[in-house]
Amino acid sequence: MAAITIATWNVNSVRLRAGPLIAPYVERVKPDVLCLQEIKCRTEEFPEAAFREMGYSHFHVRGQKGMHGVAIASRLPLEDLPDEDMCLRGEARHQRVRVAGVELHNFYVPAGGDEPDPAINPRFEHKLDFIARMADCFAARKAENAPMVLVGDFNIAPYEHDVWSHKQLLKVVSHTPVETEGLDRVRKSADFLDVARELIPEPEKLYTWWSYRSRDYRASNRGRRLDHIWVSPALRDAALSAGRDAFTIWEAERGREKPSDHVPVTLRLSL
């Protein structure tokens, strides 16, 4: 049975971290498809040469000046698919390709700012709108039963044990009920499987992000699970048949020199 490994990673500046952080990780893990978020560069500024040195030869980049941008580097051919209308501001936060017969979506959902009130915080309103558009998009396609993988920084920790303190974070952006309920609507819109929680049920704690504000992230361990890999029902067996060993949160990457505040997450998909 053939298998491909898909990785997702918010790298918080691809040009800053391609050499010192991403390349050593790729050498160790060798993901076939690497989905990046918050690349912080225009499309033409993406450091393709550095990724070719890592062994990638196929690229799909949605760049933008500023804090956004998504990119996919792959060892396998990528078919460009039309973008969905997810972002009312037209920011580079989503891309869609087909790889190895699978429709792959890479997301960078808006963070939403600090105040979880759309009436006074336009950034939070934008986040909720983005999530609603995701749900509408996939609900309209549910009947297709297409083999789809959704990955990326969703900027929402959906469950109680996806954060270090459920009670203390209920009013903190990324874990508020309106966000978690919105993300659950996206998941249910096409019966997606949250691979992490299918393979590693609660109450086990799972985190993919630790704030830069923490001097020692290991000691405080105040993390959140913001980075996700979901699959459609058509890929249930492909995602789950190999069990827990096929899914990895690479926590050690948070402890590297000048790391991203997110760590990579991988799934070995048996096709």
Side-chain angles (χ1 to χ4, degrees):
M1 179 180 291
I4 64 169
T5 297
I6 299 173
T8 178
W9 196 355
N10 178 322
V11 292
N12 192 8
S13 179
V14 68
R15 290 179 293 178
L16 179 64
R17 295 190 166 87
L21 190 67
I22 302 173
Y25 170 79
V26 167
E27 177 63 25
R28 289 191 301 273
V29 178
K30 297 178 172 57
D32 299 295
V33 183
L34 180 60
C35 300
L36 306 174
Q37 305 89 39
E38 200 173 356
I39 62 173
K40 291 186 177 178
C41 68
R42 298 179 179 91
T43 299
E44 63 273 16
E45 295 170 334
F46 183 80
E48 184 176 308
F51 284 86
R52 288 190 179 278
E53 290 182 4
M54 298 178 210
Y56 296 109
S57 54
H58 304 276
F59 302 93
H60 190 277
V61 183
R62 291 285 184 268
Q64 179 180 354
K65 182 180 180 180
M67 306 300 289
H68 317 306
V70 289
I72 299 172
S74 176
R75 303 181 194 278
L76 306 171
L78 299 175
E79 178 187 349
D80 185 5
L81 298 176
D83 292 339
E84 303 283 2
D85 185 19
M86 301 286 186
C87 184
L88 64 86
R89 298 184 180 181
E91 296 169 347
R93 293 184 174 276
H94 171 251
Q95 62 188 150
R96 183 166 70 112
V97 301
R98 184 172 286 109
V99 57
V102 171
E103 183 177 323
L104 175 62
H105 293 255
N106 184 23
F107 284 99
Y108 179 32
V109 174
D114 296 324
E115 181 59 53
D117 184 349
I120 62 174
N121 179 4
R123 295 176 65 189
F124 194 67
E125 180 183 30
H126 179 213
K127 182 176 191 175
L128 297 183
D129 180 83
F130 193 103
I131 296 167
R133 288 172 181 241
M134 288 174 69
D136 290 344
C137 170
F138 292 114
R141 299 187 55 199
K142 182 177 181 179
E144 297 177 26
N145 194 31
M148 288 191 284
V149 177
L150 276 58
V151 308
D153 176 5
F154 292 1
N155 263 312
I156 298 172
Y159 304 124
E160 177 178 351
H161 297 283
D162 291 336
V163 295
W164 65 273
S165 174
H166 173 62
K167 290 183 179 179
Q168 293 184 67
L169 293 178
L170 278 172
K171 295 183 179 180
V172 175
V173 172
S174 79
H175 192 60
T176 65
V178 68
E179 293 170 273
T180 59
E181 291 165 8
L183 189 62
D184 198 48
R185 285 194 295 274
V186 179
R187 185 184 60 79
K188 291 177 178 177
S189 67
D191 295 329
F192 290 111
L193 286 77
D194 179 347
V195 174
R197 284 308 180 191
E198 290 287 330
L199 293 173
I200 311 171
E202 294 190 284
E204 184 168 340
K205 293 277 193 179
L206 294 177
Y207 308 143
T208 66
W209 174 92
W210 293 261
S211 174
Y212 284 132
R213 296 174 184 175
S214 176
R215 292 185 178 180
D216 186 344
Y217 88 95
R218 287 190 179 92
S220 61
N221 201 27
R222 294 189 172 190
R224 307 177 201 178
R225 184 172 73 100
L226 303 181
D227 305 88
H228 300 266
I229 299 179
W230 292 1
V231 301
S232 64
L235 291 174
R236 179 185 182 90
D237 290 345
L240 305 183
S241 62
R244 181 168 174 160
D245 289 344
F247 178 85
T248 307
I249 297 173
W250 299 90
E251 182 179 336
E253 298 308 307
R254 183 62 179 82
R256 307 295 181 194
E257 184 74 18
K258 296 182 179 179
S260 170
D261 46 357
H262 297 253
V263 298
V265 180
T266 59
L267 173 67
R268 187 171 71 252
L269 197 65
S270 302
L271 298 175

